[in-house]
Amino acid sequence: MSSRYRRYDHRIKNMIAETGDPNLFPDLAIPLSTAREWIKKGPQKVVSISSFDSSKEFYPPGSHLRKRKYPVLYIITFADPA
């Protein structure tokens, strides 16, 4: 039997953390323990790209991925070391 984890948008997490209200979105039925954890951690930093031209292909220098039939989209995430 496997358990299912629900994923929430970072904006929802940050709004709950900023307001300190674990019942801010009652329609989502977010578990109280989950919301309290977000409040305890505080708002998280989010890095986004304001404009992204998906028509350009990007491959790291010297990459073997240039030979692929389809371009690869890379998503870079930055973790807060705190």
Side-chain angles (χ1 to χ4, degrees):
M1 186 159 100
S2 65
S3 63
R4 290 188 167 189
Y5 290 97
R6 293 176 59 189
R7 293 184 175 260
Y8 301 95
D9 189 88
H10 68 275
R11 294 169 288 196
I12 291 171
K13 293 178 184 181
N14 282 345
M15 288 179 72
I16 290 174
E18 288 170 1
T19 62
D21 182 4
N23 299 313
L24 189 61
F25 298 101
D27 296 345
L28 297 179
I30 299 170
L32 192 56
S33 59
T34 301
R36 285 183 179 154
E37 186 66 26
W38 296 340
I39 293 167
K40 180 180 164 186
K41 288 183 178 180
Q44 302 296 304
K45 294 179 183 177
V46 178
V47 178
S48 63
I49 299 173
S50 59
S51 62
F52 179 73
D53 184 3
S54 62
S55 65
K56 293 182 181 178
E57 295 179 10
F58 170 75
Y59 299 101
S63 173
H64 68 285
L65 298 174
R66 288 184 186 275
K67 297 175 185 175
R68 291 180 62 128
K69 184 175 180 180
Y70 302 104
V72 177
L73 174 64
Y74 288 90
I75 299 174
I76 301 171
T77 58
F78 297 92
D80 188 12

